[in-house]
Amino acid sequence: MTKEKIQLNVVVYVDDLIVAGNDLVALDQFKLYLGQCFKMKDLGKLKYFLGLEVAQSAQGFYICQRKYALDIIMETSLLGAKPAEFPMETNHRLSLDKGDLFTDVEKYRRLIGSLIYLSVTRPDLAYSVHILSQFMQLPRIAHWEAALRVVRYLKKNPGQGILSRSDSGLNLKGWCDSDWAGCPLTRRSLTGWFVLLGYSPISWKTKKKHTVSRSSVEAEYISMAAATCELKWLKKLLGDLGVHHPHGMHLLCDSQSALYIAQNPVFHERTKHIEVDCHLVRDAIMQKIITPSYTPTTVQLVDIFTKSLGKAQFQYLISKMGMCDLHAPS
């Protein structure tokens, strides 16, 4: 029987390091070597790294930013405020607001910058932060009030984070969606994706496209292409970390038309303007890198990244995304 290959992975940020590997003896020897080369201190098992709080148990790794969230709440003087059930009002029109300007621009920018970093472990904030970050140059009072609502939502569960479950399979599964012509000013579409590794969330994003889509099908297909690129990159990254993914990755989309274009081998005039994305997705399907399938809109997880939802639907999707709060009372 051949001995398992020893692999060490090091994450470096300035003078902070995370060292991980599959052999404890090799880990100890590597840390001893680093201690001889540099003046450094071994803090033991990972508990805190750049604002990220990590708790380890038999269930897996729990990652949150509770202290960071509490600092944001304290800085905005909202410790005594009533918590909000969801971060942003439905059917908001913040992009069209013409109200009075918010005078303390630096204060707004500082708050939104903090929320951007907080969204590293909070997928539920991705859409709200994306919307509010568009007004950094010239925020208005309505934008500031919307940002404070997000902070009041944090107060409801400041310790909410993501759980990387130990019983989770090492298979990638993605969701993609688009809100066609969602921006009332530019009519650009808002796209998003969400990726699970087994039951554990590892990648998500909300982004406004650079161009205007001519149809909802085009917008959905572009989001499918973006999610395909993300899945292919994650598969390669996992391979570099020693985790092989031989099977096709599932990609769920709620657009039947986009799925039909992806699986139809014939190009025609209606798809000519997105032919590059068509080739990208179709080649991935032919190579069995991804396996696209349909998911109903009611259970489309990426809805939370492309539009503001009401309380019931928002909390339902959160419960399906692998998020939890270890600090919440049981």
Side-chain angles (χ1 to χ4, degrees):
M1 187 178 220
T2 58
K3 186 177 180 181
E4 183 182 3
K5 182 180 179 180
I6 296 176
Q7 179 168 346
L8 298 179
N9 302 306
V10 183
V11 178
V12 183
Y13 183 83
V14 190
D15 57 352
D16 294 313
L17 290 84
I18 300 177
V19 183
N22 57 358
D23 188 284
L24 290 177
V25 176
L27 277 174
D28 291 335
Q29 292 176 349
F30 181 66
K31 289 188 290 185
L32 181 62
Y33 170 74
L34 288 178
Q36 294 171 350
C37 297
F38 309 98
K39 186 177 180 181
M40 58 175 290
K41 184 177 182 181
D42 183 6
L43 299 178
K45 287 186 177 182
L46 180 63
K47 294 182 179 179
Y48 195 83
F49 184 75
L50 302 177
L52 306 180
E53 302 172 41
V54 181
Q56 304 179 36
S57 68
Q59 285 72 38
F61 290 85
Y62 176 71
I63 307 173
C64 72
Q65 294 169 280
R66 185 173 184 270
K67 182 181 181 301
Y68 192 77
L70 291 173
D71 288 342
I72 294 175
I73 298 171
M74 184 177 298
E75 186 177 346
T76 52
S77 304
L78 290 177
L79 283 174
K82 180 180 179 181
E85 295 294 332
F86 49 99
M88 186 164 283
E89 293 182 0
T90 57
N91 302 317
H92 67 83
R93 288 293 181 266
L94 293 174
S95 299
L96 301 175
D97 188 85
K98 301 297 182 182
D100 295 336
L101 295 173
F102 185 63
T103 55
D104 197 343
V105 178
E106 290 300 322
K107 186 176 183 180
Y108 181 84
R109 293 173 181 171
R110 186 167 58 251
L111 175 57
I112 302 305
S114 299
L115 293 176
I116 289 175
Y117 187 63
L118 187 61
S119 63
V120 170
T121 58
R122 298 288 297 260
D124 51 333
L125 299 180
Y127 174 79
S128 305
V129 170
H130 169 81
I131 295 296
L132 295 172
S133 62
Q134 298 179 63
F135 314 115
M136 298 275 246
Q137 187 67 27
L138 205 65
R140 301 184 181 275
I141 292 179
H143 304 150
W144 173 250
E145 292 175 348
L148 292 182
R149 179 188 173 91
V150 176
V151 179
R152 291 195 294 111
Y153 168 72
L154 293 180
K155 188 174 183 297
K156 178 176 179 289
N157 45 10
Q160 183 158 278
I162 55 179
L163 177 64
S164 297
R165 292 170 50 173
S166 58
D167 63 344
S168 181
L170 298 179
N171 54 308
L172 289 168
K173 187 176 183 180
W175 283 260
C176 63
D177 193 22
S178 178
D179 182 24
W180 179 47
C183 178
L185 294 177
T186 62
R187 286 306 173 191
R188 297 178 187 174
S189 301
L190 198 63
T191 66
W193 72 69
F194 178 69
V195 181
L196 288 175
L197 180 62
Y199 305 112
S200 308
I202 61 170
S203 178
W204 53 86
K205 190 169 187 177
T206 298
K207 184 178 181 179
K208 184 190 294 185
K209 300 308 295 179
H210 298 295
T211 57
V212 178
S213 298
R214 295 169 58 185
S215 66
S216 61
V217 177
E218 177 185 342
E220 294 281 358
Y221 202 90
I222 291 175
S223 71
M224 185 183 293
T228 299
C229 292
E230 180 70 7
L231 286 170
K232 291 171 68 176
W233 179 80
L234 287 172
K235 181 177 181 178
K236 187 178 186 304
L237 177 62
L238 289 174
D240 293 339
L241 296 175
V243 179
H244 299 289
H245 197 290
H247 307 294
M249 299 171 287
H250 290 285
L251 178 60
L252 287 84
C253 175
D254 62 0
S255 173
Q256 295 275 24
S257 300
L259 290 171
Y260 176 75
I261 294 175
Q263 296 170 344
N264 180 17
V266 179
F267 290 101
H268 46 76
E269 287 299 322
R270 294 185 64 185
T271 61
K272 186 175 182 180
H273 56 291
I274 56 170
E275 193 167 328
V276 173
D277 286 328
C278 287
H279 279 295
L280 187 148
V281 176
R282 199 165 299 168
D283 287 350
I285 295 174
M286 292 178 63
Q287 297 169 16
K288 298 184 178 180
I289 296 175
I290 65 168
T291 305
S293 56
Y294 175 76
T295 183
T297 303
T298 54
V299 292
Q300 170 59 277
L301 298 186
V302 187
D303 263 3
I304 206 170
F305 298 100
T306 59
K307 54 185 70 74
S308 55
L309 303 174
K311 174 183 175 182
Q313 184 67 3
F314 183 85
Q315 294 183 347
Y316 169 75
L317 294 180
I318 286 295
S319 67
K320 299 293 183 181
M321 292 172 60
M323 300 184 64
C324 61
D325 186 357
L326 293 185
H327 303 278
S330 56

